[in-house]
Amino acid sequence: MRRARADGWARTIGACLGAGLAVAALASARVPAGAGELGLDLTVAATATGELGVTPPGPAIRVAGMRPGSGAATGTVAVRNQTGRRRALRLRALPSSAEVDRALRVRASAGGAVLYDGELGGMRRWTSRAIELGSGATATLTLRAWLPEGATRWAGRIVDVPLELTTEGAR
């Protein structure tokens, strides 16, 4: 009789300890609360053409959770003139969405020359400025993107920005 009673107490204590450990494990594994607002996820990539080589292939900028005032995302791309003649390089952006055209600022420069500096939406047209590349020459294109303080309509957006490159005969 005593043994049956002791077994009952042992089972009850064991069940309580097991339940307590299960509750402790669940409480420690919960996902912490977030800030409540998603940032902007941005990818910027330049693609090679028959006349121009691009190194490295793939995204020059990849950032997740960008917010106004969080600083600029930067990247570089080496662009090489693969033709036998001097060429003038221009670029434009073709964003996957127009939602951040006014919010996101971009700057593209090469060798000290600024090709574009303004809202992303304004870069949907070919840059008015160009840089000249001799035959076989390479220029490093520096890209910067940021959300200025006070920017709106950026939260939770995912935007891919392919950069198109083109050349024309240099003057």
Side-chain angles (χ1 to χ4, degrees):
M1 192 102 168
R2 279 186 172 187
R3 185 173 187 132
R5 206 182 218 173
D7 286 345
W9 278 106
R11 285 187 186 140
T12 303
I13 292 171
C16 289
L17 285 173
L21 288 173
V23 168
L26 287 173
S28 68
R30 76 178 188 91
V31 177
E37 188 171 51
L38 297 173
L40 168 69
D41 293 352
L42 176 69
T43 302
V44 180
T47 55
T49 67
E51 295 179 334
L52 299 169
V54 174
T55 305
I61 296 175
R62 180 176 281 158
V63 62
M66 182 182 278
R67 298 178 182 287
S70 65
T74 60
T76 59
V77 175
V79 180
R80 184 174 186 270
N81 178 358
Q82 300 178 145
T83 70
R85 297 189 319 242
R86 185 171 199 75
R87 308 297 287 173
L89 168 70
R90 296 181 193 282
L91 60 140
R92 71 176 173 177
L94 298 174
S96 60
S97 168
E99 293 178 311
V100 297
D101 276 5
R102 296 182 61 115
L104 188 68
R105 297 274 310 192
V106 294
R107 179 182 174 104
S109 59
V114 176
L115 296 171
Y116 183 80
D117 188 358
E119 294 177 348
L120 176 62
M123 202 172 175
R124 289 180 179 270
R125 294 175 303 280
W126 293 108
T127 57
S128 57
R129 294 184 181 154
I131 57 166
E132 291 192 15
L133 290 174
S135 175
T138 300
T140 300
L141 186 62
T142 301
L143 305 167
R144 294 183 71 225
W146 69 97
L147 289 168
E149 291 289 344
T152 60
R153 300 192 62 201
W154 52 267
R157 307 299 200 275
I158 300 171
V159 180
D160 295 321
V161 182
L163 289 180
E164 274 193 352
L165 308 173
T166 190
T167 61
E168 56 193 36
R171 296 175 192 180

